[in-house]
Amino acid sequence: MSKLRQSLPGIAIIILLLAAWWVIVIATRSVIFPTPWQVVTGTTELIRDGTLWMHIGASLGRVASGFLLAVVVAVPLGLWMGWTRGAYDTLNPLFQILRPISPIAWIPIAILWFGVGNASPIYLIFISSVFPMIVQTVAGVHTIEKRYLRAAENFGVSRYTLFTQVVIPAVLPQIIVGMRIGLGVAWLVVVAAEMIALRSGLGYLIIDSRNAGNRYDLVIAGMIIIGLIGLLLDGLMRLLEGLKIVRWRYAH
């Protein structure tokens, strides 16, 4: 019941926005912009013909491929940069130059290198999510209190044991934060990439609905579905905070 009470203000805001949306469309007599009910019927149409699940599956598959590749690269690289001063001094300037570049700016390069298939959005997802995870992992290593490291060294702990049993467990909460940020950016990028060159995915659904007869009910439906899936993905990432190995960081 307490959780229900906490969610009531958010539910009320959503209901008010839907009501305002409906009233404005009716009052302006718009023949293009849909009402909420038209969006619902459009979504039902996509569900019945099976195209909605096809587009969702395509987008999720691309995000999973690019994001997991970014995790495999970013976490070891971030640990190495945070642990080794020479690696940090060498690579950090390069990453700080590349990191502010919008992932959308990489679209022409991705098409040039990988063509218009699945490889292009996977590359864009990788390039957009790898940098937040690297930065967050490096920051996690650098924020470990030095007294803990010195205490371990005073007890004769080897450098390998210190790294695997002290540094990595201490950095894991920061890695999870970086993964949440990276996944959120990845979900944004795949939609933009699918609008450019592909013929499947939620991004393609939106742009195709716009071009094929001004189906703005499907455009809005695609936008809402993207938001709901993004919320679900973030919730799934937050479940990692309950893992025993990182629970110390999130304990109240």
Side-chain angles (χ1 to χ4, degrees):
M1 291 299 294
S2 61
K3 290 184 178 180
L4 179 60
R5 283 194 222 96
Q6 291 174 358
S7 60
L8 283 178
I11 295 173
I13 289 294
I14 293 174
I15 293 174
L16 287 174
L17 288 175
L18 288 174
W21 170 9
W22 204 316
V23 168
I24 291 172
V25 173
I26 297 299
T28 57
R29 298 179 180 178
S30 174
V31 296
I32 296 179
F33 202 81
T35 64
W37 180 247
Q38 289 173 321
V39 173
V40 172
T41 57
T43 305
T44 304
E45 176 185 332
L46 292 175
I47 293 173
R48 285 176 178 171
D49 62 20
T51 57
L52 178 61
W53 310 120
M54 179 193 71
H55 290 309
I56 290 176
S59 293
L60 289 175
R62 291 169 188 136
V63 168
S65 300
F67 177 72
L68 292 176
L69 181 61
V71 171
V72 170
V73 172
V75 173
L77 186 58
L79 290 171
W80 180 48
M81 289 176 60
W83 187 243
T84 307
R85 183 69 185 182
Y88 178 81
D89 292 338
T90 303
L91 297 176
N92 186 61
L94 174 63
F95 290 155
Q96 293 304 324
I97 293 172
L98 295 175
R99 187 169 62 89
I101 299 175
S102 169
I104 308 303
W106 290 94
I107 289 178
I109 304 298
I111 295 175
L112 178 64
W113 287 350
F114 303 103
V116 294
N118 280 322
S120 291
I122 290 174
Y123 168 76
L124 292 170
I125 292 165
F126 168 81
I127 205 72
S128 64
S129 55
V130 72
F131 294 123
M133 285 188 277
I134 290 175
V135 171
Q136 203 69 36
T137 304
V138 171
V141 177
H142 286 172
T143 54
I144 299 174
E145 292 193 37
K146 302 301 181 184
R147 58 179 178 175
Y148 298 147
L149 302 179
R150 296 193 192 98
E153 291 174 350
N154 289 337
F155 282 103
V157 175
S158 67
R159 192 171 177 82
Y160 173 79
T161 303
L162 179 65
F163 184 76
T164 57
Q165 297 188 17
V166 177
V167 174
I168 292 180
V171 176
L172 277 178
Q174 293 286 84
I175 293 176
I176 291 175
V177 172
M179 291 172 64
R180 285 184 62 192
I181 297 172
L183 184 59
V185 176
W187 187 240
L188 291 173
V189 169
V190 72
V191 172
E194 288 170 347
M195 289 182 175
I196 303 299
L198 298 176
R199 299 189 64 83
S200 63
L202 292 170
Y204 172 77
L205 170 65
I206 290 174
I207 200 68
D208 184 60
S209 299
R210 162 62 180 85
N211 295 333
N214 288 336
R215 290 294 306 274
Y216 280 96
D217 56 335
L218 302 185
V219 171
I220 302 300
M223 293 171 62
I224 294 173
I225 291 167
I226 288 168
L228 293 174
I229 294 177
L231 179 64
L232 177 62
L233 291 175
D234 185 69
L236 292 175
M237 289 300 302
R238 292 195 65 176
L239 292 177
L240 296 177
E241 297 175 0
L243 294 176
K244 184 177 180 180
I245 196 170
V246 297
R247 199 176 297 163
W248 61 270
R249 176 62 177 82
Y250 300 100
H252 296 289

